[in-house]
Amino acid sequence: MARNEVIHVAVRGDVKANLQRIADNYGMTMSALASYVIGQWVYNQLRIVEPMLDEMAKVGVKASEAIRQER
């Protein structure tokens, strides 16, 4: 699958070597594996983490209001 955008990421040599080894095990290029990993992280942020943080903020506001009312 062709990509339209390029990002450059600097990592330590041992991280690069491990990423290459894992990519080889999956039969992928290092770039394809990195793209997949980044895509999954972004997906999780948008679909799981951000909504959870939004809900936690709402609970925090309700808790603050309840504490204020009890004072």
Side-chain angles (χ1 to χ4, degrees):
M1 175 186 283
R3 303 286 183 223
N4 301 15
E5 302 290 333
V6 174
I7 61 172
H8 297 275
V9 179
V11 296
R12 293 186 326 254
D14 62 320
V15 173
K16 181 181 177 187
N18 285 323
L19 184 63
Q20 183 65 64
R21 182 182 53 79
I22 294 166
D24 290 343
N25 288 341
Y26 278 104
M28 303 171 77
T29 64
M30 194 171 20
S31 179
L33 178 59
S35 178
Y36 173 77
V37 169
I38 292 167
Q40 285 297 300
W41 183 85
V42 170
Y43 175 84
N44 288 333
Q45 291 297 306
L46 296 175
R47 296 294 203 177
I48 298 168
V49 176
E50 286 183 2
M52 183 174 52
L53 292 175
D54 290 343
E55 289 301 315
M56 290 171 64
K58 290 176 189 174
V59 169
V61 168
K62 289 180 183 178
S64 295
E65 290 171 358
I67 291 169
R68 258 185 255 126
Q69 288 177 358
E70 287 195 23
R71 287 184 182 171

